[in-house]
């Protein structure tokens, strides 16, 4: 039905996350309708992306410089590392304005069923970063595990906690490992909260 | 939060239909994760698209050749034209296997609120096509208005029917204008059918 040029583009677009055949079709028709200007703009933006964006060697985030802006910022607290799964999480946490330390992006979470073990995500880089900070006489004071409270996230946090407890047999544990509070989200309704969230909210209750 | 290269790409991606900031973010992260190979493949596919795909001068569909494959196919019935709004509709009708004529793609429907009048869509091209077929001694026998049975589609079908009735004051009406049947869709449930559909199904009932 479609010409080979359209089919090729459809095949590439369908590999985008959450894009199926119908959505890919709509995208192609958008490009065809809006004409060459829009296609050229996308091509240029892609070119710029692949030329400029690389990984920050410190926190593993995508950035135009290494170290990235956050890692190079001396006003931030470099003794506090928030460990997150994906770059999007950094954006969300920055947006909340609550955290002033630095980040470490794992680029995923442990998921044995999908073949993602400790070697597939940036765990060695985190342990190495903690060790190097200690060796440089500026030890990390707190590692905040800011992963999603789901099965894979919990398993990854358990694994990291064990690894950070004994990053090296010779080294005593010097770093405090914390995790984000679990409880009722703001604006939610107790009536509709799920059991696990409600149980977490009870366990984590605080005096007011 | 994001580097300028990422922001530029986000801005372009957010112009895609149905893509908001979060989806655009996911797309960019997909490109960053999969690396330069995937970006290069998309760039090449876009390049191919803008190089090869043009409009068919006959049916106004997007195609690599003009006339397109369907318009050039002598095994199809060129005296029967299905008028559709968008190229996707051609794909759906072809897939049904029910129609063996040729198409005319309006590239939209009348929508005065959005400033889309008869000049903004390919109505003049359709009337011209009908006139030229008559002049060439191979008059069109049937024009099937295959537009969506919604407000804009109905208005466009009414307009086309009037225009086709008098394509030229001097010329008698030679072409039969039909529209697709309205009724219950296959596999649907009368209990949940809306009033307008049910009314159409009653009006259009056939002896069995």
């Amino acid at each position: 039905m479609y010409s080979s040029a359209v089919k090729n583009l459809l095949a590439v677009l369908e590999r985008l996350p959450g894009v199926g055949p119908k959505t890919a079709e709509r995208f192609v028709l958008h490009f065809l309708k809006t004409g060459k200007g829009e296609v050229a703009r996308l091509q240029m933006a892609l070119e710029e992306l692949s030329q400029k964006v690389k990984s920050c060697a410190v926190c593993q985030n995508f950035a135009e410089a290494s170290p990235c802006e956050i890692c190079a910022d001396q006003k931030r607290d470099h003794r506090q590392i928030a460990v997150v799964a994906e770059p999007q999480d950094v954006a969300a946490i920055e947006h909340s304005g609550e955290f002033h330390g630095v980040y470490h992006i794992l680029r995923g979470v442990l998921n044995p069923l999908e073949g993602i073990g400790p070697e597939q995500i940036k765990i060695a880089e985190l342990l190495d970063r903690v060790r190097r900070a200690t060796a440089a006489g500026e030890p990390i004071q707190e590692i905040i595990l800011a992963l999603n409270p789901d099965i894979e996230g919990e398993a990854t946090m358990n694994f990291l906690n064990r690894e950070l407890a004994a990053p090296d047999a010779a080294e005593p544990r010097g770093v405090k490992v914390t995790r984000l509070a679990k409880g009722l989200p703001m604006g939610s309704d107790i009536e509709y909260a799920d059991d696990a969230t409600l149980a977490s909210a009870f366990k984590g209750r605080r005096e007011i």
Side-chain angles (χ1 to χ4, degrees), chain A:
Chain A
M1 184 54 226
Y2 285 119
S3 75
S4 70
V6 172
K7 272 189 208 144
N8 282 349
L9 184 54
L10 283 173
V12 179
L13 291 173
E14 278 178 37
R15 284 203 290 272
L16 288 170
V19 175
K22 281 279 162 199
T23 308
E25 224 174 43
R26 270 206 300 277
F27 288 174
V28 173
L29 285 160
H30 168 81
F31 291 132
L32 289 170
K33 274 190 170 173
T34 50
K36 300 198 177 183
E38 192 66 12
V39 171
R41 265 190 291 279
L42 178 55
Q43 284 177 306
M44 263 155 48
L46 287 168
E47 188 60 33
E48 201 190 344
L49 189 81
S50 61
Q51 294 291 330
K52 287 196 188 164
V53 179
K54 41 183 162 269
S55 275
C56 169
V58 181
C59 71
Q60 312 297 325
N61 203 351
F62 297 110
E64 289 192 16
S66 174
C68 69
E69 245 179 85
I70 292 178
C71 289
D73 187 349
Q74 286 309 317
K75 289 203 290 293
R76 300 190 74 112
D77 185 353
H78 287 254
R79 295 164 306 174
Q80 219 178 23
I81 300 179
V83 177
V84 299
E86 305 284 353
Q88 303 91 302
D89 302 329
V90 174
I93 295 173
E94 284 296 288
H95 199 258
S96 79
E98 194 52 43
F99 178 67
H100 306 287
V102 291
Y103 294 92
H104 188 89
I105 292 90
L106 291 176
R107 301 274 192 94
V109 285
L110 297 177
N111 192 339
L113 289 177
E114 294 189 6
I116 300 173
E119 290 76 34
Q120 274 70 48
I121 60 177
K122 308 288 184 183
I123 290 181
E125 286 82 354
L126 175 64
L127 301 178
D128 192 47
R129 189 173 166 188
V130 173
R131 260 184 237 115
R132 274 185 290 118
T134 307
E138 288 165 337
I140 307 298
Q141 292 186 337
E142 183 177 1
I143 291 184
I144 303 166
L145 302 178
L147 304 180
N148 291 339
D150 54 16
I151 294 174
E152 291 83 14
E154 295 285 348
T156 310
M157 289 194 274
N158 280 335
F159 182 87
L160 284 173
N161 188 36
R162 278 202 311 274
E163 289 289 311
L164 288 163
D168 212 55
E171 192 179 11
R173 172 163 182 155
V175 56
K176 182 164 81 176
V177 180
T178 59
R179 55 173 293 162
L180 297 185
K182 286 190 288 188
L184 296 167
M186 284 294 283
S188 67
D189 197 325
I190 289 175
E191 184 181 353
Y192 299 112
D194 63 287
D195 295 345
T197 299
L198 215 44
S200 299
F202 266 93
K203 266 187 227 149
R205 69 190 182 276
R206 305 192 313 176
E207 217 170 321
I208 48 174

